Amino acid sequence: MLADRSHRRLWRKVRALSEGLELPDPFDAETFLALLAERRGRPIEVLPVAVDAAIPCGVLVTTDRADYILCTPGTSALHRQHILVHEAAHLLCGHDRLPTPETPGVRALLPGLSPDLVRRVLGRTVYAEPAEREAELLASLILHRVLREGPVPGPDHGRAGSLVGASSRRPERSRV
């Protein structure tokens, strides 16, 4: 019973966050990050970092001056978009203000960064962690909203076309 209430509370919180966001039209993850950076008043940079299987495919690093999203460079456009939106969801949920956990692999990814400089590192590792579940749910709801409000799919690209820049547009749609 307590788990059900907690689950419903999480859904309400994340749904409200998702529906309250201004999304670029057409949706593009890089433009979405630029809007978020403007809203937060600090830069967000995406850095391609080759990683092995033991390290997450996306990592959020928050420093005193900027936020950095480290992303696997050799992934598909759709997967990259999901990684970027997931890491942005950590910022939207305020996870960058939580106490810093020990994240495996961070020293290997960021050998030149002083531990004092890095305030928060979030990696996509264990979805059992509440912050990871919340970020993943928010990212999924944002991308679902993009599909719901996005371009009408053409015969050659299906519904996922709106996530990768399809050009066919819906006539007159309402904005949230």
Side-chain angles (χ1 to χ4, degrees):
M1 182 80 143
L2 183 61
D4 287 343
R5 276 192 299 227
S6 175
H7 187 72
R8 282 193 303 269
R9 199 172 27 251
L10 171 67
W11 267 91
R12 277 193 305 271
K13 174 187 175 185
V14 172
R15 187 177 296 128
L17 269 172
S18 169
E19 294 298 327
L21 289 172
E22 177 186 344
L23 299 179
D25 186 10
F27 187 82
D28 172 76
E30 302 278 345
T31 305
F32 177 66
L33 290 176
L35 289 171
L36 180 57
E38 183 179 314
R39 175 179 160 189
R40 289 172 51 86
R42 52 188 283 121
I44 299 173
E45 284 189 49
V46 178
L47 305 173
V49 177
V51 296
D52 64 28
I55 298 173
C57 53
V59 176
L60 173 66
V61 178
T62 301
T63 69
D64 291 335
R65 287 183 265 144
D67 301 310
Y68 300 93
I69 297 176
L70 285 57
C71 185
T72 304
T75 192
S76 70
L78 190 59
H79 187 223
R80 174 183 165 82
Q81 179 161 315
H82 189 86
I83 292 166
L84 297 180
V85 175
H86 174 96
E87 300 307 336
H90 279 296
L91 295 171
L92 289 163
C93 292
H95 299 159
D96 56 313
R97 296 183 300 269
L98 296 173
T100 304
E102 282 299 315
T103 303
V106 172
R107 281 291 109 211
L109 287 172
L110 307 168
L113 244 47
S114 142
D116 294 333
L117 180 64
V118 179
R119 288 192 330 219
R120 179 76 177 144
V121 176
L122 296 167
R124 296 180 69 183
T125 54
V126 181
Y127 290 109
E129 294 177 24
E132 285 303 315
R133 280 196 315 269
E134 187 174 48
E136 188 64 15
L137 179 56
L138 180 54
S140 296
L141 288 177
I142 290 168
L143 294 174
H144 180 265
R145 190 174 144 206
V146 168
L147 284 172
R148 189 179 70 222
E149 297 175 1
V152 175
D156 59 340
H157 47 67
R159 276 296 221 185
S162 64
L163 293 176
V164 292
S167 60
S168 180
R169 302 296 304 160
R170 271 188 215 278
E172 299 296 320
R173 62 188 171 103
S174 63
R175 296 283 301 175
V176 174

